[in-house]
Amino acid sequence: VLFHSGYLTIDRLILENIGTEREPDMEEMFTFKIPNREVSRHYKSFCFQQIFDRTHENFVAFSENLRYSLLKKDTGKMAEILGGLLFGIVHKHHEPDESFYHSLFQTAFIAAGLEAKSEQGGSRGNSDIAIFLDGRVRVVTELKYVRTDETSAKSDTDRAREELAAALDKAEKAIREKKYAEPFKLVASEIICLALAVRGRDEVAVRFMPPDEPDGQSA
């Protein structure tokens, strides 16, 4: 009933030997996805709307723009859409802590239909979030948070730029020195290294950098 109603969908084909060693008889068997793609997407859309105070149309646009900005390494677009998310967080729910934004961004990535795993381990430490994109593209993410007070967050523009740039430098240094990209090199066709910085409640800076080159771009 669940299968024919569309709630379950076939995940992959497996084979089962129901014969003997001399006369093998392979029978087709299938594994299922629970829930299916439609139910899963609806659930993620609902959670996205509730957490970030956005409509379903916002969710669709966010999902498409997020994937595009990652694949194209578009720093400006990435900073814009993540900053837009933060403006949807009610003030009283804000937590001035790096783990808060870590959880928030990972939730957003998963809601957008991306496979995002937290604290991906390596021999030298754990990257904050690993994102599995189209094909075998991997995005290694490191996040740094800059705590600030209300006054400096609103008025000191130069200081804000300096603090965000310094936070991006720290994130990039961690990715390079701890070699977060290394565990994926045997399985990934492309590795994207992404440094994120958040200052105050809604200021976001982004930097994409090649895993084996010293220079990056920031926005």
Side-chain angles (χ1 to χ4, degrees), residues 13 18 21 23 38 42-44 46 57-58 61 64 76 81 120-121 130 138 148 161 163 172-173 177 182 192 199 212:
L13 168 69
I18 59 174
E21 184 176 347
E23 297 182 5
E38 292 77 15
H42 175 76
Y43 176 74
K44 291 173 182 176
F46 174 79
E57 289 73 21
N58 292 143
E64 294 175 351
I81 61 178
Q120 285 295 284
R138 302 291 187 266
T148 184
R161 289 199 190 99
E163 291 180 343
E172 180 174 348
K173 182 179 180 181
E177 291 188 350
E182 290 298 319
I192 300 172
R199 181 180 185 271
D212 297 317

Side-chain angles (χ1 to χ4, degrees), residues 48 51-52 54 62 80-89 104-105 108-109:
F48 182 88
I51 296 171
F52 301 108
R54 295 291 192 268
F62 170 79
E80 177 187 332
I81 61 178
L82 292 182
L85 276 184
L86 300 186
F87 276 104
I89 303 298
L104 195 67
F105 287 147
F109 295 152

Side-chain angles (χ1 to χ4, degrees), residues 2-205:
L2 289 174
F3 175 70
H4 287 290
S5 66
Y7 184 79
L8 299 179
T9 54
I10 293 175
D11 181 20
R12 63 188 180 90
L13 168 69
I14 60 175
L15 296 175
E16 181 174 294
N17 186 2
I18 59 174
T20 64
E21 184 176 347
R22 290 188 175 185
E23 297 182 5
D25 184 7
M26 304 301 290
E27 180 178 355
E28 289 187 344
M29 303 288 288
F30 301 90
T31 59
F32 295 93
K33 286 184 177 180
I34 307 173
N36 66 4
R37 182 177 181 181
E38 292 77 15
V39 174
S40 177
R41 186 169 181 82
H42 175 76
Y43 176 74
K44 291 173 182 176
S45 175
F46 174 79
C47 290
F48 182 88
Q49 294 173 58
Q50 299 302 311
I51 296 171
F52 301 108
D53 191 24
R54 295 291 192 268
T55 65
H56 177 71
E57 289 73 21
N58 292 143
F59 167 72
V60 174
F62 170 79
S63 302
E64 294 175 351
N65 289 332
L66 178 62
R67 184 179 293 274
Y68 173 86
S69 63
L70 285 171
L71 287 171
K72 297 297 183 180
K73 305 180 184 68
D74 188 332
T75 55
K77 191 65 176 179
M78 189 74 175
E80 177 187 332
I81 61 178
L82 292 182
L85 276 184
L86 300 186
F87 276 104
I89 303 298
V90 180
H91 175 74
K92 65 180 180 179
H93 294 156
H94 167 74
E95 295 289 340
D97 186 81
E98 186 173 303
S99 61
F100 172 77
Y101 290 96
H102 181 154
S103 300
L104 195 67
F105 287 147
Q106 184 176 1
T107 300
F109 295 152
I110 293 174
L114 301 177
E115 184 180 356
K117 296 183 179 180
S118 181
E119 297 294 336
Q120 285 295 284
S123 62
R124 300 188 181 184
N126 301 332
S127 60
D128 285 335
I129 304 172
I131 304 170
F132 300 77
L133 276 178
D134 300 337
R136 292 185 295 158
V137 179
R138 302 291 187 266
V139 182
V140 178
T141 304
E142 184 72 7
L143 169 68
K144 297 298 179 185
Y145 177 70
V146 181
R147 185 187 297 265
T148 184
D149 55 52
E150 292 286 332
T151 303
S152 63
K154 292 180 180 179
S155 63
D156 195 347
T157 304
D158 291 336
R159 179 181 176 185
R161 289 199 190 99
E162 292 175 359
E163 291 180 343
L164 283 169
L168 286 176
D169 289 342
K170 288 176 63 177
E172 180 174 348
K173 182 179 180 181
I175 291 173
R176 296 194 186 285
E177 291 188 350
K178 297 182 180 180
K179 298 186 178 298
Y180 289 148
E182 290 298 319
F184 299 111
K185 286 188 174 180
L186 292 177
V187 295
S189 57
E190 180 184 2
I191 302 173
I192 300 172
C193 292
L194 172 61
L196 294 175
V198 178
R199 181 180 185 271
R201 293 193 305 273
D202 48 40
E203 295 176 281
V204 180

